[in-house]
Amino acid sequence: MPHPPETRTVALVTLGCARNEVDSEELAGRLAADGWELVEDAAAADVAVVNTCGFVEAAKKDSVDALLEANDLKDHGRTQAVVAVGCMAERYGKELADALPEADGVLGFDDYADISDRLQTILSGGVHAPHTPRDRRKLLPLAPAERQDAAVALPGHGQAAEAPADLPAGVAPASGPRAPLRRRLEGGPVASVKLASGCDRRCSFCAIPSFRGSFVSRRPADVLGETRWLAGEGVKEIMLVSENNTSYGKDLGDIRLLESLLPSLAEVDGIERIRVSYLQPAEMRPGLIDVLTSTPKVAPYFDLSFQHSAPGVLRAMRRFGDTERFVDLLEQIRAKAPEAGVRSNFIVGFPGESEADLEELERFLGAARLDAIGVFGYSDEEGTEAAGYEAKLDPDVVAERLSRVSRLAEELTAQRAEERLGETLSVLVESVDEEDGVVGRAAHQAPETDGQVVLTGGGDLVPGMFVTAKAVAAQGVDLVAECLAVEGAGR
């Protein structure tokens, strides 16, 4: 049935991390609740909303390219307005609006609660003045325990006081002052759930706390309520995301709150796997390792932010640890769960990094047996402490080190995949098509960032099923596995 002319249509284009995906679905929920029709194709939308990433230069460039691409649609599509939201929009505000007049609006986090009115104003030809950026850490009390009642916009937390009585199908109802309206933008059996926003760490290379703010946990009841709703939407695996999941609960009076939340999430009907991302090595504790390795339905998966292993480099990064401590942490994990999956990211070419420091990192990588490794070359981020450091390395040296460690990482992760041959895996089927066959992920593989499993001999499998399979071959970080049985009826 054709839509009436007065129907307002909007498309959300999301860049960056899983946290941004949750934020986009919150915006989608708010818009759908206010009568907007959500469409997948930006060319079919009256307004294209680009949820930008502001983390590193490459991500910012991708965000600008996406805004320019959406702007081109105004010449030959339905699109009448292009609006920037997200981290880059929050971080630069008026500066981005001045530099990129192709964007009809630049909205910060404080605009999210009124997103419908903001888009309607822009669509009607009005102007919403972009904000002047400020350090969002200063908007919240210094003491974590005092932050819960602060009236500050927290993307992904929602803060909708009450949901409309007649919510459209597929929109999660608000159940409290911090519970978001949410509308899934993509199907599939996996969804992210935000545990918290912001970060209290002060890594010298990272600008995220300045525009995401200080750390604020979501209340367990809201996390559970959203998880139950996602289960009703057909989700089988949830991934818990935030800037630092190991800090969850510290502003609620219980730093060990994650250890009690995970078993409760595992009891939600329909959810078959829970994955925790973004863990800080310096904040790992024995009780959390125990819960992550022994709780049914919780994947023994450790997304540990090591960043480097040479002590001098880590201290310059305002981080802790060294090769021996990190190897010891991994040994503690594997003593509890030998099959545990571990991934991490690393920065090479940090100011002052010596050849000996790089060799120390390579030594750690050789000992760590990581399933997935992300390697990034250092670049200055404005507003960070490291941007003012001396002893900067020549860009050509950074590029050479990036290439060198990336090659090593590729070799080591391929070796780790080969170590898993013969393992019995629990694989969540994610896609089935003629070209790629049946593709899924095992417990040691997170969405997007890690490898995947190609299944053979499974018969009539559909996305959302869990199957028991035996790893029989490796293709880089990916595995080929022979399907042995479908796990449970009706999955």
Side-chain angles (χ1 to χ4, degrees):
M1 178 182 295
H3 296 286
E6 64 270 17
T7 298
R8 303 166 299 176
T9 57
V10 59
L12 286 115
V13 179
T14 306
L15 293 91
C17 63
R19 294 161 297 191
N20 250 19
E21 294 171 6
V22 176
D23 294 350
S24 285
E25 293 192 350
E26 177 198 337
L27 293 175
R30 291 181 180 276
L31 291 166
D34 202 45
W36 290 76
E37 179 188 351
L38 296 158
V39 296
E40 292 185 12
D41 185 2
D46 297 318
V47 184
V49 177
V50 180
N51 191 349
T52 61
C53 179
F55 182 35
V56 293
E57 285 303 320
K60 287 183 277 189
K61 180 181 183 303
D62 288 345
S63 295
V64 170
D65 290 345
L67 288 163
L68 294 174
E69 183 177 341
N71 182 68
D72 289 342
L73 297 174
K74 291 191 287 189
D75 295 331
H76 49 77
R78 174 171 175 164
T79 308
Q80 301 173 50
V82 175
V83 175
V85 299
C87 291
M88 187 177 180
E90 173 62 40
R91 184 177 182 183
Y92 295 104
K94 186 177 184 302
E95 180 183 344
L96 177 62
D98 291 343
L100 197 71
E102 291 85 353
D104 299 286
V106 175
L107 305 181
F109 296 153
D110 293 329
D111 293 307
Y112 281 23
D114 301 307
I115 186 67
S116 179
D117 290 343
R118 299 288 187 265
L119 296 190
Q120 186 59 56
T121 295
I122 294 167
L123 186 60
S124 301
V127 175
H128 178 71
H131 64 285
T132 298
R134 52 186 172 169
D135 188 337
R136 294 190 72 84
R137 290 171 293 191
K138 299 179 180 179
L139 302 181
L140 288 162
L142 185 63
E146 298 176 3
R147 295 174 188 165
Q148 283 289 321
D149 297 323
V152 174
L154 301 169
H157 290 233
Q159 293 179 290
E162 287 189 15
D166 53 347
L167 284 174
V171 177
S175 59
R178 293 195 187 280
L181 297 173
R182 181 170 179 177
R183 169 75 174 267
R184 295 204 72 198
L185 293 173
E186 295 184 5
V190 183
S192 295
V193 175
K194 186 169 283 191
L195 274 185
S197 288
C199 186
D200 286 343
R201 301 186 71 86
R202 295 294 178 263
C203 301
S204 64
F205 56 84
C206 183
I208 288 176
S210 67
F211 56 85
R212 276 287 184 179
S214 297
F215 187 89
V216 182
S217 303
R218 291 182 68 199
R219 296 184 183 277
D222 291 339
V223 177
L224 280 163
E226 187 169 330
T227 300
R228 292 188 186 103
W229 174 76
L230 287 168
E233 293 289 300
V235 170
K236 299 298 182 183
E237 175 181 329
I238 61 166
M239 184 166 72
L240 302 179
V241 299
S242 75
E243 279 73 19
N244 177 11
N245 282 334
T246 34
S247 282
Y248 179 68
K250 74 175 187 179
D251 52 322
L252 294 170
D254 185 0
I255 191 60
R256 295 176 175 81
L257 193 56
L258 184 56
E259 284 97 303
S260 59
L261 176 61
L262 286 171
S264 297
L265 290 171
E267 293 176 359
V268 174
D269 288 341
I271 298 299
E272 302 297 337
R273 180 186 286 162
I274 299 158
R275 186 182 304 276
V276 183
S277 61
Y278 303 110
L279 300 169
Q280 287 291 339
E283 297 181 32
M284 290 299 294
R285 47 197 179 267
L288 181 55
I289 294 174
D290 287 345
V291 171
L292 287 170
T293 54
S294 65
T295 306
K297 295 188 179 181
V298 174
Y301 177 81
F302 293 80
D303 176 10
L304 294 163
S305 178
F306 289 123
Q307 300 299 349
H308 212 283
S309 73
V313 176
L314 285 168
R315 301 306 173 268
M317 290 178 169
R318 303 297 183 199
R319 297 179 66 83
F320 305 95
D322 54 42
T323 295
E324 280 65 37
R325 287 182 175 88
F326 292 162
V327 169
D328 180 65
L329 173 60
L330 294 174
E331 289 176 349
Q332 292 178 49
I333 290 168
R334 288 171 175 144
K336 300 279 186 180
E339 77 286 3
V342 187
R343 83 169 321 275
S344 191
N345 293 324
F346 299 89
I347 298 172
V348 297
F350 195 79
E353 180 191 63
S354 66
E355 176 65 26
D357 292 330
L358 192 68
E359 291 174 358
E360 181 68 6
L361 173 59
E362 291 172 327
R363 183 171 77 89
F364 169 66
L365 291 175
R369 297 169 55 232
L370 302 177
D371 291 280
I373 300 171
V375 187
F376 301 89
Y378 173 82
S379 62
D380 285 339
E381 276 297 309
E382 57 192 293
T384 63
E385 180 183 354
Y389 283 0
E390 298 179 355
K392 298 281 177 62
L393 302 186
D394 186 278
D396 289 341
V397 174
V398 176
E400 188 278 327
R401 292 185 177 184
L402 174 62
S403 176
R404 168 177 158 183
V405 177
S406 295
R407 288 194 303 270
L408 176 63
E410 184 176 354
E411 176 184 341
L412 291 172
T413 52
Q415 290 177 6
R416 178 65 181 133
E418 290 179 354
E419 289 180 17
R420 291 192 178 274
L421 298 185
E423 281 189 13
T424 299
L425 311 171
S426 178
V427 180
L428 171 60
V429 178
E430 291 196 315
S431 64
V432 180
D433 60 52
E434 292 184 2
E435 181 177 350
D436 297 323
V438 182
V439 177
R441 287 178 302 101
H444 70 278
Q445 299 167 319
E448 306 295 336
T449 58
D450 303 343
Q452 61 186 19
V453 177
V454 178
L455 289 165
T456 63
D460 296 327
L461 299 177
V462 297
M465 283 183 171
F466 276 84
V467 300
T468 301
K470 181 180 180 180
V472 296
Q475 300 173 343
V477 296
D478 299 332
L479 294 173
V480 177
E482 179 183 353
C483 182
L484 302 177
V486 176
E487 298 177 8
R491 290 184 183 170

